[in-house]
Amino acid sequence: MLASKILAIGATAASATNLFVSDYGGAVTSFALTASNGTYALNDTFSTDECAPSPSWLTIDANRGLLFCLNEGLTAPNGSLSSFTINGDGSFTHVKNETTISGPVSGVIYGAAAGQRALALAHYSGSSVTSYLLNGGGTFSLGQELTYTLDEPGVVPDRQDAPHEHEAITDPTGKYIVVPDLGADLVRIFSWDDETLKLEELDPLEATPGTGPRHAVFWNPYGVACEECTTYFYLVGELDSTITAFSVDYLPNGGGLNFTQVFNSTTYGLLNLPEGNAPAEIQLTPDNRFIVISNRNNTSFDLPQSDGSILESDSLSTFKLQDDGTLVWHQLWPSGGSFPRQFSIDKTGRLVAVANQNSQNVAILQRDTATGLIGEPVARVTVGGNTTCVVWDE
């Protein structure tokens, strides 16, 4: 069993929630977060190595009880895609594994909710976008492979020597897939055929050279998604440590997306940006009022531990969303460890689960939904390798 840490923080009623965690040690692990009589506990309940050797990303389909795991293949010439059914006790049953182009690091499900669907993957080292048709029960089959090249290296040649697709997300209408490309300083835009789900590439968003697009989110200020609705897009630049906001216009007849920049800032907002900072994840809070960004390689906090040691911690930045798409810096807070590669906010908005890669831990932080401020950790658990992803089973 993995080591867990319990912290008291004002929980009252007994409850349990499952979280799924991947790490570069080769494991995908299910943890139960329980809260009772003022104490939270995070304990592992199941683990599998069926996504080894380098699990990098988890995509959950909670409505169908499915979990898809991407193996980046750091020590192999290829990556892989694995699927599991999620059992009632939080354990997994392995369904299928298939070799992929190298370096898958993100995946998103697209297509008709009640019809044919597919999973689009972004491949960092493989410079590719691929799609897999979902055939029910966790089975899948290859649909498409799109691989890209660069004519010459980018502004940051050691990181922009090739296209590096870093994430795949859908837009709020569910009609487009958006893929930030760190190496090419692009955000690639795709539509798809409703029957075959074959991707069609459209005109991309061209980021400022040296941005290094990594992850992104969309925002509808009034909580309604439609082509005529006010829509904004927030892009994290890993290489220049920026958050850039764009207003989004939908082109007629499914012709793509048009972006107009409305805001730009470092991910440290009003504070001085530490040298070497490398932002990673960005998420919209469930109340539609804030965005949160993880910052790596900055060691902005030293956290005293109960045994007298000091835990060096990177940070999470919170920005308050404004109706015109701009952002107001709100808070900088410790992530609970080093290199917060990814994080997930639970559906209530009260808990933030952070995958601190180099600390090999997951920290569960409380969050005040009224103020939007992130607070003290309620639980922390150590995993068997560098932590890559954590998702809530909800």
Side-chain angles (χ1 to χ4, degrees):
M1 301 290 280
L2 301 174
S4 63
K5 185 171 183 179
I6 301 173
L7 301 170
I9 197 71
T12 54
S15 59
T17 303
N18 291 324
L19 299 94
F20 306 140
V21 178
S22 60
D23 68 73
Y24 277 154
V28 179
T29 305
S30 178
F31 290 91
L33 178 68
T34 56
S36 180
N37 299 322
T39 300
Y40 281 84
L42 187 60
N43 294 291
D44 59 310
T45 59
F46 181 82
S47 186
T48 178
D49 62 0
E50 294 286 356
C51 191
S54 313
S56 61
W57 185 265
L58 301 172
T59 296
I60 188 170
D61 185 352
N63 290 334
R64 290 171 173 80
L66 298 173
L67 183 70
F68 297 92
C69 177
L70 310 187
N71 159 41
E72 194 171 351
L74 294 178
T75 58
N78 297 98
S80 64
L81 170 63
S82 297
S83 61
F84 305 86
T85 56
I86 302 170
N87 303 316
D89 60 359
S91 63
F92 317 131
T93 299
H94 183 239
V95 178
K96 183 175 181 177
N97 180 282
E98 185 168 316
T99 298
T100 70
I101 290 174
S102 66
V105 291
S106 174
V108 66
I109 296 171
Y110 69 97
Q116 179 65 61
R117 302 180 310 145
L119 180 66
L121 308 185
H123 298 255
Y124 182 86
S125 61
S127 302
S128 299
V129 174
T130 63
S131 65
Y132 288 81
L133 297 175
L134 302 181
N135 302 321
T139 62
F140 55 85
S141 57
L142 177 64
Q144 193 175 10
E145 295 179 334
L146 302 170
T147 300
Y148 302 97
T149 59
L150 278 182
D151 293 334
E152 58 183 8
V155 173
V156 187
D158 61 329
R159 296 294 310 281
Q160 297 185 306
D161 56 330
H164 293 306
E165 280 60 41
H166 219 309
E167 186 185 36
I169 63 173
T170 54
D171 80 299
T173 70
K175 296 180 179 179
Y176 296 97
I177 290 174
V178 174
V179 178
D181 184 331
L182 183 146
D185 279 325
L186 296 174
V187 178
R188 301 187 188 275
I189 311 296
F190 302 88
S191 61
W192 60 84
D193 182 276
D194 289 337
E195 293 186 5
T196 66
L197 299 188
K198 183 178 180 180
L199 299 175
E200 177 184 353
E201 189 167 9
L202 305 171
D203 290 340
L205 165 62
E206 297 182 4
T208 301
T211 296
R214 181 183 173 99
H215 282 197
V217 293
F218 286 90
W219 179 54
N220 296 113
Y222 308 108
V224 179
C226 68
E227 292 191 7
E228 297 76 24
C229 298
T230 301
T231 303
Y232 295 102
F233 178 72
Y234 298 87
L235 178 66
V236 167
E238 176 179 338
L239 300 184
D240 66 357
S241 290
T242 58
I243 173 66
T244 305
F246 302 85
S247 63
V248 181
D249 293 310
Y250 285 79
L251 301 179
N253 303 315
L257 305 174
N258 185 63
F259 299 87
T260 302
Q261 183 175 321
V262 297
F263 177 83
N264 176 267
S265 167
T266 76
T267 58
Y268 262 58
L270 300 176
L271 304 179
N272 292 329
L273 181 69
E275 183 178 355
N277 185 65
E281 182 65 289
I282 178 172
Q283 287 201 13
L284 176 69
T285 59
D287 61 11
N288 210 41
R289 297 168 55 215
F290 301 90
I291 60 170
V292 181
I293 302 167
S294 66
N295 297 291
R296 302 167 300 163
N297 200 43
N298 55 77
T299 316
S300 294
F301 298 92
D302 290 328
L303 306 179
Q305 303 299 290
S306 58
D307 62 1
S309 64
I310 297 295
L311 174 65
E312 293 185 343
S313 177
D314 289 332
S315 61
L316 301 176
S317 295
T318 299
F319 290 84
K320 186 171 177 57
L321 292 152
Q322 306 298 298
D323 287 345
D324 62 359
T326 60
L327 299 171
V328 173
W329 183 82
H330 195 61
Q331 183 194 35
L332 187 77
W333 193 258
S335 67
S338 173
F339 256 64
R341 174 184 175 124
Q342 185 268 347
F343 64 88
S344 294
I345 305 172
D346 81 328
K347 64 182 180 182
T348 71
R350 296 188 178 96
L351 295 172
V352 183
V354 186
N356 289 298
Q357 180 173 330
N358 290 355
S359 295
Q360 300 188 354
N361 76 23
V362 173
I364 310 296
L365 309 178
Q366 63 178 336
R367 180 176 174 274
D368 189 316
T369 56
T371 65
L373 297 176
I374 297 171
E376 297 297 326
V378 299
R380 188 181 295 118
V381 65
T382 300
V383 298
N386 286 3
T387 324
T388 56
C389 189
V390 55
V391 295
W392 298 88
D393 181 19
E394 56 183 21

